[in-house]
Structure formats: C-alpha cells, structure tokens
C-alpha cells in the first residue's frame, strides 16, 4: 500500500484522500469532472483558487546552472464544497503509486477537509446496519456527523462511480463496487401514461404487470422474476429538480413527473452490506442491465434526463455500458 505522503503533501495527510482514475482520451466511462460531481451534492461549489497547469519556473541555483529553469510543476487548486469543507488538488499519481493502491493509471488524488483547517467533531460509535459503502466500518470508533458525513458519503459515491477509492482519514481504504449502483430515476420531458409505461417495461421483461401505488397518485409497473428479484418502475409527481439538473435547459418547462426504476432482490438485507454474496451479485448485474434498458427506452420515447442512485446524471454512453450483458446471453430469470 502506498503511503499517504506519496499521494498528497504532508499538510493534508490527516484529510480524507479521494483517488480518482482519469478517464481515457476517448471519453469512455462515467464523468470524472469533480466540480460537476460536487455540484450534485453541495450548494456552494466554487473554486477558491483554480489549479494551474504549471507553477512559475525559477532559475536553478549554482553557477553551473545559471539561466537554466527548473522543471515546472502543476499547482493544486482549492474547490469549496458547501459551507464547511474543501477539496484540494488534483495531485497526479505516478504509475507506481496507482499500482500500489490497486487503482488504474493515470489517476489523481484530492485532499478533502475543512476549509478553516480545523478538525471535524465526530459522533459516537456507529449504530447502523446499512453500511453498503463501508463508512461505519471505516469509522468504527467515532462516526462523522453533519457536513463531514455528507462529505464522506459524497466521496464514497464518487469513488463508486469512477472505480476509484477513498482513504478515510488518510488511512482506511474504502473501495466501493461500481456495480452496486443499480437503481435509476428518469425525469421525462413529458408524463408517461400507465399503458405506455407498461409497454416499455414489457419490452424488457415480458411478464410485467400494472400494480397499485401505495398511498398516493401515479402508476407502477411490477416485473417479477423467479431468481433475480423484482423490478419496480413507478411514475409519480416530481418535486423540485435535483441539484445535478438545476442548470439544465428545459424548453417545455421542468419535468412534472419522475419515473423511479428500482431493483428489489430476494434478500433485501444484501443491499446493506459492502460484500454481498455471489448469487446476489449475479442477480444484481442482470437487474442493472435490465433497468438501464428500461431507462434507455423511456428516454427514446419521452426524452428527459437520467440520474443514478447517488444523484449524478447518467449519460447515454454510461447507459450503454450498463446495458452490456455481464455474461454472454444473460437475461432475467422469469
């Protein structure tokens, strides 16, 4: 394991360190735009100082090197995350440091901490059962609270989305599984009638049926499978736009409805653990691909935008990657 001083400067070694692989030149894969990802969770996201490609060069010392300029080094920026915290970076990782972390190269590190340089006040020992991201395990002695808990939750969500990792307090490795992000929500440009929603879901799972929505208006389609659990697709009235879509242009006005695409496995408890069983993962991969197909069909019919379960916008290319069959010929067991 690479030491933290090899990833970030010494003054940031007690921070949470987020390591994000840089995307390939062809743009394949999810967005790695950290300010954009931060804006999906925090209200006040802005550069306090922007990163520069290179710091001003200065002459090397000694007569022998008179007039020779030292190699330029990039200067890190400081990105404000809400009212209390900031992200400092990026700090490029060389191939050896990335390999030691088991991370794809090239990659970069960001130091996450309080904007005022103080330490966050922690709560007591965690008393939670749902620990899909491993946060309770990483902070077994004292759980972050308030805005620090939001910061850590966001960092875990970014690590899951980008196949990266988080060093909690600069030490405890959290490497969330990207495949654990299954559920989606679609903000359609127009409402989707119940019959049309049923038609869309039946194009993916032929046995889907209309079902009642408990305690409210809207309509729901239920697709039961024998081994992979249930797919539940529900359209209901939308509240305000999520942060990730607030700056998006809506020619016909903001969507009035939201379509939620959810997977309910046979054993719901396995959704709460960071290391589920192999059978759960196989079913999860199939459900992930099926829900991506439903979302793609909905976009084709009604337009709009798609968000993942962490509130990040999902592009058409990302849906295509989700739709890719986990194994040749895989399909839902109905």
């Amino acid at each position: 394991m690479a030491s933290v001083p090899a990833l970030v400067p010494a003054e940031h070694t007690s921070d949470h360190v987020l390591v994000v692989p840089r995307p390939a030149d062809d743009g394949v894969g999810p967005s790695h735009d950290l300010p954009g990802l931060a804006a999906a969770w925090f209200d006040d996201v802005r550069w306090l100082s922007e990163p520069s490609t290179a710091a001003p060069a200065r002459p090397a010392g000694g007569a022998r090197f008179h007039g020779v300029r030292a190699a330029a080094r990039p200067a890190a920026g400081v990105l404000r995350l809400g009212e209390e915290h900031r992200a400092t970076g990026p700090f490029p990782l060389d191939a050896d440091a990335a390999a030691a972390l088991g991370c794809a190269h090239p990659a970069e590190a960001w130091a996450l901490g309080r904007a005022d340089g103080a330490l966050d006040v922690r709560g007591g020992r965690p008393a939670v059962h749902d620990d899909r991201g491993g946060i309770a395990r990483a902070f077994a002695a004292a759980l972050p609270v308030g805005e620090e808990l939001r910061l850590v939750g966001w960092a875990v969500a970014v690590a899951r989305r980008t196949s990266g990792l988080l060093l909690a307090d600069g030490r405890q490795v959290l490497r969330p599984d990207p495949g654990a992000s299954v559920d989606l929500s679609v903000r359609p440009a127009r409402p989707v009638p119940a019959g049309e929603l049923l038609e869309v879901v039946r194009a993916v799972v032929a046995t889907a049926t209309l079902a009642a929505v408990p305690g409210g208006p809207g309509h729901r389609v239920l697709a039961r499978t024998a081994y992979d659990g249930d797919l539940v697709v529900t359209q209901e009235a939308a509240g305000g736009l999520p942060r990730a879509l607030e700056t998006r242009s809506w020619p016909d006005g903001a969507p009035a409805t939201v379509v939620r695409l959810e997977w309910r496995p046979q054993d719901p408890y396995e959704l709460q653990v960071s290391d589920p069983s192999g059978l759960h993962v196989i079913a999860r991969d199939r459900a992930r691909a099926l829900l991506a197909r439903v979302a793609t069909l909905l976009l084709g019919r009604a337009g709009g935008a798609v968000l993942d379960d962490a509130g990040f916008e999902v592009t058409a290319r990302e849906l295509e990657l989700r739709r890719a069959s986990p194994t040749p010929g895989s399909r839902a067991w109905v």
Side-chain angles (χ1 to χ4, degrees), residues 22-63:
R22 293 203 297 271
D25 293 338
D26 59 7
V28 173
S31 169
H32 291 55
D33 170 29
L34 204 76
L37 295 173
W41 281 56
F42 301 98
D43 286 326
D44 188 7
V45 177
R46 54 189 170 87
W47 288 109
L48 300 178
S49 61
E50 293 195 29
S52 62
T53 56
R58 63 179 185 274

Side-chain angles (χ1 to χ4, degrees), residues 171-328:
R171 298 186 302 273
Q172 182 68 42
V173 178
L174 294 177
R175 197 188 308 272
D177 182 358
S181 176
V182 178
D183 294 351
L184 299 167
S185 63
V186 179
R187 295 288 176 130
R190 61 166 177 83
V192 182
E196 185 178 5
L197 189 65
L198 177 61
E199 181 181 346
V200 167
V201 181
R202 277 185 172 173
V204 177
V205 181
T207 56
T209 58
L210 283 173
V213 179
H219 39 268
R220 169 174 291 177
V221 175
L222 176 63
R224 293 191 179 278
T225 71
Y227 302 102
D228 295 341
D230 300 337
L231 305 182
V232 183
V233 180
T234 307
Q235 179 172 261
E236 56 192 15
L241 282 175
R243 287 188 177 95
L245 300 179
E246 286 179 343
T247 60
R248 188 185 180 98
S249 175
W250 301 94
D252 299 321
T257 60
V258 56
V259 182
R260 305 192 189 280
L261 288 67
E262 302 172 281
W263 173 54
R264 296 179 180 175
Q266 289 191 329
D267 184 358
Y269 169 75
E270 296 224 59
L271 291 174
Q272 303 176 12
V273 297
S274 57
D275 188 20
S277 69
L279 288 177
H280 175 90
V281 171
I282 292 171
R284 185 190 71 190
D285 288 348
R286 284 195 285 254
R288 176 180 164 93
L290 292 171
L291 289 183
R293 289 176 59 192
V294 173
T296 301
L297 291 172
L298 282 173
L299 283 184
R301 286 174 174 251
V306 182
L307 300 178
D308 65 14
D309 56 2
F312 300 132
E313 186 169 5
V314 179
T315 66
R317 175 56 178 159
E318 290 163 29
L319 284 176
E320 181 181 345
L321 293 174
R322 284 179 176 236
R323 294 196 306 269
S325 297
T327 56

